[in-house]
Structure formats: structure tokens, C-alpha cells
Amino acid sequence: MVRNHVLSKIEAGEWAEGARIPSETQLVDLLGVSRMTVHIALRDLSAEGVLVRRQGAGTFVAPRRSQSTFLELRNIHDEIEARGNRHSTEVLKLETVFCDLALATELNVPPGSAVFHSVLLHRENDRPLQIEDRFVNPRFSPDYLEQDYTRITPNVHLMAAGPLEEVEHVIQAVPADDTTRALLDMATGDPVLLLRRRTWSRGMIASSARLLHPGTRFSLAGRMRVAR
Amino acid sequence: MVRNHVLSKIEAGEWAEGARIPSETQLVDLLGVSRMTVHIALRDLSAEGVLVRRQGAGTFVAPRRSQSTFLELRNIHDEIEARGNRHSTEVLKLETVFCDLALATELNVPPGSAVFHSVLLHRENDRPLQIEDRFVNPRFSPDYLEQDYTRITPNVHLMAAGPLEEVEHVIQAVPADDTTRALLDMATGDPVLLLRRRTWSRGMIASSARLLHPGTRFSLAGRMRVAR
DNA sequence: CGGCAGTAGTTGCATATACAAGTTTATACA
DNA sequence: TGTATAAACTTGTATATGCAACTACTGCCG
């Protein structure tokens, strides 16, 4: 109850980032519950990174930046939904191309062979967050082009097409070209965070993707316990 | 107290993965604290993924988190030497600072307390490759400022100061400011790949570092087999 | 004007109590 | 033997209370 109240206030924008929220005793009067109940709820939200609490000073809305975990292979849909936001996809390209030498090497297929190519734009609450530029090995997923990617992500389809065996990630910071800047709604001079991801399945390279993110409002994050 | 008891039991292997641990009331008798205290502690550990709780059934040790070799803690010296190149370090700053609110939050120490600060420039074959801007908790490593960082990296010193328990990584692409651009020998408009790394040891945040790399000639890469 | 002490207000933490909700085990009965 | 019921046990949640630790502010005094 306290939790929902706080989250909805933040969601609605009434309590902005960095703003101080009512004290525990004020929330007690407001919601008619005991202080411990309020305390536990705020404590949990603090542990989750939604709030920041400072003893003696007050409770504040934590600054939020879109984050993606790179340790797990979650698809962007789940990432966004997990943050309580709305995910939507726009299909920009869905085609067959014949690969040049570089692409052939990248996918480990013969040069000139046909491969599938898709370009999607993912939005978080209508704000563009990722361009997903993907090449897929047709031998791995022959029906890749027939899917409705406004409903499922390519990730989901590919995971269903075969067991994931190996993943390769390369992360880079690159300047934004004009097309990218326009699509991602970025300011001039802002950099792009580029995540290249190749996946192996059934002994072949199933897919190679370039995931482009606006550097100013996106970061990759991961936290792990070290082996004991 | 309850927390440490549980963690040490798991650490020691007395409570194995998936095993059921004593009930709340049993821990009350065992440790001589109230049930609510036990409950809160177990609740937190459950939120952190260390335990799994099922109402009516009991509390169990959670299966360990999947470990990734991606972004393992190799220090930059080994990275460069592994490529057959020469590594050199220049010490730009080595000082004590009093932390403001943001830094205090980052390190989880009281605002205004003294922390150690170092800024190093790492070169690969005399070409700048990384600015290492690091804050260290003096409680964790009191003799941090007395080391010779042209001979060993801070990473090596910190690893020797205590067992690494947890690591947090955040990766961002950011524009380069003038100082950074000059130090890293970058062209105007080139982005910076920023890796923020926080490490936990002996129950506290030992260190928080900002590692800045020239985006055009640096990338983070990792490849991992997926667990089945 | 600057520094100091006091004070009100805030979060942090532990306790004691009560009941709800879910699971497992034991028992009674057909 | 199989099923239904009951009891015992476990975690989940909410409340009321007390005090410690810390912060920010006010006002006093030199």
C-alpha cells in the first residue's frame, strides 16, 4: 500500500527525481498505517534503488537512468517492463541481403550468400532507446522474416529456434551518424553506446546484432558476487 | 548479526545450496534476538538473492548466481602485457579529499569524511589508453597513499588488502571534456567509453573507480558459454 | 559578523505482540 | 487403502513502543 502510493507518485511525476518525499511520520498521518510499515516499505524501495535515504535528512527520489544488465541475456522488452515502463517496437527494415566479405566473416558463412536483415527501433515510453540492427543466419532460422516483431522481439524468436550455446559481446563508444542521431532523438555531439552481440547455436553463428543506444541516457550495468 | 551468521554458515559450506536453513523461531532461540529481527534479516537476504523463502515451507539457500567471465577483474597491466605491448603509468594525483554528498553516497560513507583519491594515466606503448580516477575507502586500505603506482596498479594493492566479495560495473558512452581529450590524445568529437567499477570487500565498499578510455581505439569484449 | 550549542525533526534499529496465509504431517474415518 | 480433516509449524504482515544516530536549523553569545 505504501509502496504503491510512493511508486505511483513517482510514476505520475508528482515527485520528481532528487525531490524530497514526505517523512515517515507524514506518510503515517497521510495513509493511516503505522510507522514501521512505512519504514519497511521505504527501506525496500531504497534497496531497490528507487529511493535514496539519508539518516536525519530525509528520503529522496533516486536519479534514474535506463540501465541494462549485460551479464544476463534478457531481451529489451523484459528490461523495460521490469522498470515499469511501456515498450514498443517499430520495424524499420525486414529483408534479405547478400553478404559482402566483412559480413560473411562476421557470420562465418560463404561470401555472397543470402542472410536475413532486420532493423528495429525500440522505445521506452515512446522515447527511443535502442536501434537493433541484426543479421540472422537463414540456416538457423528459415522463418525469421515471417515473424511479427511488434509483438515478440527477435531475441525471443531466436531463443525458441535453438538452444543458446555461446555469446560474444563487444562494447564500444562511437560518434553518432546523422541517421542514428535522428532515430534515437539525440543532441549533436552526443555519443552512441554500441553493443555488438553474436550468438552461437547448433554449432553455427545464429545471429549478429548491433545494438545502438543513446549514450546520455543509457548505461549497461551488472553486479555480481565473486565466487567463494 | 543474524545476517553475518547466515552468510558465514553458507560461506563455510555448512548450509549447502538448496538446503533448508533453521526456521525463524529456531534462529531466535539460537541467537537470542527477536523474531522480527531475524525476519527482517532473512527478508533482506532473500531480496538479494542469497536465500529463497516459501511461506509455510521454510527458508532455503538460493542456487548461486551464474558467473560470467565477461569483464573479469584483470588489471590493465596484464591486459597490455598479454598483447605483447609495454605498459607505463603516470601518477597525476594522489591525495586525500573530503567527500561531498554524491561521493558519500557512492562510497556509502558519511558525508564530509576523508577518502583517498588517485588519478593515474595508463599508456600502452606510450599511447594513452586509460585514465583511472579512483576513490578509496580509508577504512579498507589505510596505506593506500603510500604505494608506488608506477610499479604496481591500485588494483593489485587493493586485492591484497582484502578479499573481493562483490563487483558492480556500469558502462556508459559520454562526450569527452577538454582535459580528458588532451590526456587521452583524442580528436575533437570522439566519445569516451566510461567504465565505472565499484568493489565490495569486508562488508564495505572498498573502492569506486572511473575508467575512461578513448572510444575510437578501445572496446570491451567478452565471450562466454551459456549454462544449460 | 562568526562560531557555538541547543533543539526539533528525521531515519535506523531492535523488541514484543497479534493474527493471516500457506505447507507439511499426523490422525480419524469411511 | 484412500480421503478428508485437523493440528502443528512456517513465513508474511501490521501494529505499538522505545531509543540511538544523524541532520538541519535557530538563536544565543562573544
Side-chain angles (χ1 to χ4, degrees):
Chain A
M1 172 179 180
V2 179
R3 182 189 176 82
N4 287 340
H5 183 259
V6 172
L7 286 177
S8 66
K9 287 288 184 184
I10 295 175
E11 182 89 12
E14 291 184 49
W15 296 348
E17 265 182 40
R20 178 166 168 195
I21 78 171
S23 72
E24 294 186 353
T25 51
Q26 285 173 323
L27 287 173
V28 165
D29 295 342
L30 195 65
L31 302 175
V33 294
S34 82
R35 206 205 116 198
M36 274 307 292
T37 306
V38 172
H39 179 73
I40 295 288
L42 298 186
R43 190 173 188 272
D44 287 349
L45 288 171
S46 171
E48 292 169 35
V50 177
L51 301 175
V52 175
R53 316 198 73 197
R54 277 173 44 227
Q55 185 175 154
T59 305
F60 308 84
V61 179
R64 206 162 50 145
R65 136 178 295 123
S66 294
Q67 278 196 349
S68 180
T69 55
F70 54 76
L71 296 178
E72 314 164 38
L73 202 53
R74 295 172 66 184
N75 66 61
I76 191 169
H77 178 80
D78 293 343
E79 290 277 357
I80 291 174
E81 299 268 310
R83 288 196 283 271
N85 291 332
R86 197 177 58 261
H87 169 239
S88 60
T89 307
E90 184 180 342
V91 180
L92 302 178
K93 271 187 189 169
L94 200 54
E95 60 185 1
T96 302
V97 297
F98 299 93
C99 51
D100 59 13
L101 188 55
L103 184 54
T105 307
E106 190 175 318
L107 289 172
N108 195 28
V109 295
S113 54
V115 296
F116 298 145
H117 180 219
S118 64
V119 180
L120 310 182
L121 179 61
H122 296 281
R123 291 191 175 88
E124 179 172 15
N125 288 348
D126 301 325
R127 194 85 193 277
L129 190 69
Q130 183 190 92
I131 298 173
E132 175 185 347
D133 189 339
R134 184 182 292 275
F135 294 95
V136 172
N137 189 336
R139 242 177 68 224
F140 174 72
S141 171
D143 55 349
Y144 180 76
L145 296 183
E146 274 78 54
Q147 310 303 312
D148 178 6
Y149 293 120
T150 61
R151 301 196 41 199
I152 60 163
T153 65
N155 227 321
V156 170
H157 172 66
L158 294 172
M159 294 285 274
L164 183 64
E165 287 158 7
E166 203 159 347
V167 184
E168 178 191 72
H169 284 134
V170 179
I171 303 168
Q172 280 177 280
V174 298
D177 58 51
D178 291 340
T179 313
T180 303
R181 182 162 49 241
L183 281 174
L184 288 179
D185 190 21
M186 293 166 58
T188 311
D190 282 353
V192 168
L193 185 67
L194 168 61
L195 172 61
R196 277 165 34 208
R197 173 187 287 170
R198 287 199 296 174
T199 53
W200 276 254
S201 183
R202 303 208 305 264
M204 64 184 115
I205 297 180
S207 169
S208 175
R210 282 178 170 69
L211 310 174
L212 300 124
H213 309 88
T216 47
R217 52 176 205 275
F218 184 87
S219 64
L220 288 161
R223 187 161 159 181
M224 57 182 178
R225 241 175 293 284
V226 174
R228 354 174 222 258
Chain B
M1 171 179 181
V2 181
R3 181 189 176 81
N4 288 339
H5 183 259
V6 172
L7 285 177
S8 66
K9 286 288 184 185
I10 295 176
E11 181 99 10
E14 292 185 48
W15 296 347
E17 258 182 49
R20 180 169 167 190
I21 78 171
S23 72
E24 294 187 353
T25 51
Q26 285 173 322
L27 286 173
V28 165
D29 295 342
L30 194 65
L31 301 175
V33 294
S34 82
R35 205 203 119 200
M36 275 307 292
T37 306
V38 172
H39 179 75
I40 295 287
L42 297 185
R43 191 172 189 271
D44 287 349
L45 288 171
S46 170
E48 291 170 35
V50 177
L51 300 175
V52 176
R53 317 197 74 196
R54 274 172 46 225
Q55 184 175 156
T59 305
F60 307 84
V61 179
R64 223 193 293 176
R65 240 186 248 179
S66 67
Q67 182 90 25
S68 167
T69 58
F70 189 54
L71 285 184
E72 60 187 295
L73 268 203
R74 295 173 65 182
N75 66 61
I76 191 166
H77 178 81
D78 294 344
E79 291 274 359
I80 292 174
E81 299 267 311
R83 287 197 284 269
N85 292 332
R86 197 178 60 261
H87 170 237
S88 60
T89 307
E90 183 181 341
V91 179
L92 302 177
K93 271 187 189 168
L94 200 54
E95 60 184 0
T96 301
V97 298
F98 298 92
C99 50
D100 60 12
L101 190 54
L103 183 55
T105 307
E106 192 176 317
L107 289 173
N108 196 27
V109 296
S113 55
V115 296
F116 299 145
H117 179 219
S118 64
V119 179
L120 310 181
L121 180 61
H122 297 281
R123 290 191 176 87
E124 179 172 16
N125 288 348
D126 301 325
R127 192 84 192 278
L129 190 69
Q130 182 190 93
I131 299 173
E132 176 185 346
D133 189 339
R134 183 183 293 274
F135 294 93
V136 172
N137 189 337
R139 242 178 67 226
F140 173 72
S141 172
D143 55 348
Y144 180 76
L145 296 183
E146 274 79 54
Q147 310 304 312
D148 178 7
Y149 292 120
T150 61
R151 301 196 42 199
I152 61 165
T153 64
N155 227 321
V156 170
H157 171 66
L158 293 172
M159 294 284 275
L164 183 63
E165 286 158 8
E166 201 160 347
V167 184
E168 179 191 71
H169 285 125
V170 178
I171 303 170
Q172 281 177 273
V174 299
D177 59 51
D178 291 340
T179 313
T180 303
R181 182 162 49 240
L183 282 173
L184 289 179
D185 189 21
M186 295 166 57
T188 311
D190 281 354
V192 168
L193 185 67
L194 167 62
L195 170 61
R196 283 173 17 216
R197 174 187 288 169
R198 288 198 296 175
T199 54
W200 277 252
S201 183
R202 304 207 307 262
M204 66 184 115
I205 297 179
S207 168
S208 175
R210 283 178 170 69
L211 309 173
L212 300 128
H213 309 87
T216 48
R217 54 177 204 276
F218 184 88
S219 66
L220 288 163
R223 189 160 157 180
M224 59 181 179
R225 238 173 297 283
V226 175
R228 290 189 269 260

